[in-house]
Amino acid sequence: MAVLTDVKEDDVRTLLAAYGLGALRRLEGIAGGSVNSNFGVEADAGRFFLRLYEERDFAGAERETAMLDRLARAGVETPPPRRRLDGAFVSVVEGKPAAIFPWRDGRMRCQRSVTVEDARRVGEALAHVHRAGAGESCDAGRFQLTDLNRRLDGVEASRDPRFIHVAPRLREAMARVHRSRDAGLPRGLVHSDLFRDNVVWDDGGRIAALLDFESACEGTYAYDLMVTVLAWCVGDDLEPALASAMRQGYESVRPLSAAEKDGLYAEACFGALRFTVTRITDYAMRPEGPGPRVVKDWKRFMKRFEKLEALGTSGLAAALHGG
């Protein structure tokens, strides 16, 4: 989440009219993330979340919002998009596709506050996404090996002194890890970005909403699980109690096959490298935009990769079983 494009209040008033939501009372940009521009909107009909799609075209935004509507109707805790008065989900603001979602109140967890029960619930929720999205038609996403190598091409071409020695190392590691991945693992719709800032909790400790399916795509379920483990179960180090609880929560809904268990290590390593690269290109090297934003440190995921290499396959397996 971020503000990469400013919107005018008059445009938002016109937008609200198209959805029958009444007059605009308040508009504020939301900092965070890197891909889309996001705003909190208060109107006569309540509070809403406005998203401007910065990278998807209109057809892509239509596919995403339709998918979110289906997931919500299948029981996934994600806010379904609002329909316009003409029945469509997607509008245009500042020449870009836009959608409106109901606002979900709640809190996000800081790393130190994550409990074993939280990890278990997140694992369950992720497995429900995989179950509900099994019939979805989805593309391969923007973070395949070739996509990440193109990003590294840009990093190297920039001659940025911070990354002159880092980029070749990342390229070699990605190629090596990718060769070890099992192409036959079960695949389907994956969230691929279920970080702590994409889960909202109610006051009773339950998940109120899963957010930001912008990066949702076709991928291996094992990869999605391990990205989520790396996002939730690492403080200064991988915490076996949290990692084990997340795996158990996931398997209570969707048990892992033997092949998936064998493939978790390679999927985890590739996930750590993917986020190292994208945090360099989407945060460290991105120019300042017109609105609020946050910066996420690529070095955190580089350290995760280095820790995984130190653990090895057996060490990760032990951690996932609480050892």
Side-chain angles (χ1 to χ4, degrees):
M1 302 174 186
V3 176
L4 306 174
T5 300
D6 275 330
V7 297
K8 302 178 181 66
E9 289 192 356
D10 284 347
D11 290 337
V12 177
R13 292 187 181 96
T14 301
L15 182 70
L16 292 175
Y19 289 85
L21 299 177
L24 174 66
R25 295 183 178 181
R26 186 181 179 192
L27 172 69
E28 61 180 349
I30 299 175
S34 62
V35 176
N36 298 309
S37 293
N38 301 287
F39 304 86
V41 177
E42 291 185 13
D44 287 344
R47 193 175 186 190
F48 300 92
F49 178 84
L50 167 62
R51 163 161 289 167
L52 265 64
Y53 291 87
E54 298 284 353
E55 296 186 0
R56 290 192 186 275
D57 60 14
F58 192 87
E62 285 187 314
R63 288 193 298 272
E64 180 181 321
T65 50
M67 174 195 72
L68 291 172
D69 181 64
R70 290 190 293 269
L71 289 178
R73 285 190 281 110
V76 174
E77 286 291 348
T78 190
R82 292 282 304 211
R83 288 188 183 272
R84 291 165 48 97
L85 295 178
D86 62 10
F89 287 129
V90 182
S91 302
V92 177
V93 175
E94 296 291 335
K96 298 177 180 180
I100 288 182
F101 301 85
W103 187 272
R104 292 284 178 88
D105 285 322
R107 299 177 181 177
M108 295 175 183
R109 295 284 195 258
C110 68
Q111 183 60 52
R112 281 180 291 182
S113 72
V114 175
T115 66
V116 166
E117 180 62 16
D118 292 340
R120 185 189 67 79
R121 288 181 185 270
V122 172
E124 286 182 354
L126 182 67
H128 282 302
V129 171
H130 293 168
R131 289 283 195 196
E136 290 288 333
S137 175
C138 44
D139 61 32
R142 300 174 289 115
F143 307 111
Q144 303 301 304
L145 179 63
T146 53
D147 302 311
L148 296 171
N149 276 326
R150 278 195 293 270
R151 288 174 179 256
L152 288 178
D153 290 342
V155 173
E156 291 178 327
S158 75
R159 306 300 298 167
D160 189 319
R162 294 174 295 173
F163 307 116
I164 288 174
H165 301 295
V166 174
R169 180 185 173 195
L170 288 171
R171 195 186 297 276
E172 181 280 326
M174 284 195 304
R176 170 167 47 85
V177 169
H178 189 68
R179 287 193 297 270
S180 69
R181 300 175 79 190
D182 181 353
L185 293 182
R187 309 175 71 87
L189 176 71
V190 297
H191 186 286
S192 77
D193 195 28
L194 198 59
F195 280 59
R196 288 180 286 103
D197 56 358
N198 285 331
V199 179
V200 176
W201 301 84
D202 67 19
D203 290 338
R206 296 174 295 271
I207 293 176
L210 306 181
L211 305 177
D212 200 1
F213 281 74
E214 166 64 28
S215 296
C217 61
E218 189 264 350
T220 69
Y221 300 131
Y223 169 84
D224 211 19
L225 173 59
M226 292 314 300
V227 165
T228 311
V229 167
L230 292 175
W232 285 82
C233 305
V234 180
D236 294 330
D237 204 343
L238 179 65
E239 299 184 26
L242 296 181
S244 178
M246 183 169 289
R247 185 218 23 103
Q248 291 177 49
Y250 184 91
E251 290 205 83
S252 72
V253 176
R254 182 187 171 273
L256 296 165
S257 68
E260 286 179 299
K261 291 176 182 178
D262 289 342
L264 291 175
Y265 177 73
E267 298 302 289
C269 288
F270 193 80
L273 291 167
R274 172 264 202 249
F275 281 97
T276 302
V277 173
T278 56
R279 287 188 172 190
I280 288 172
T281 58
D282 290 348
Y283 292 95
M285 296 183 68
R286 172 165 276 181
E288 291 289 336
R293 66 188 291 249
V294 297
V295 175
K296 298 184 178 181
D297 188 356
W298 62 273
K299 295 176 185 175
R300 292 180 179 275
F301 268 87
M302 192 68 180
K303 288 179 180 178
R304 283 165 168 77
F305 173 67
E306 292 166 349
K307 177 60 180 179
L308 287 167
E309 286 197 305
L311 280 173
T313 304
S314 59
L316 177 62
L320 290 170
H321 288 82

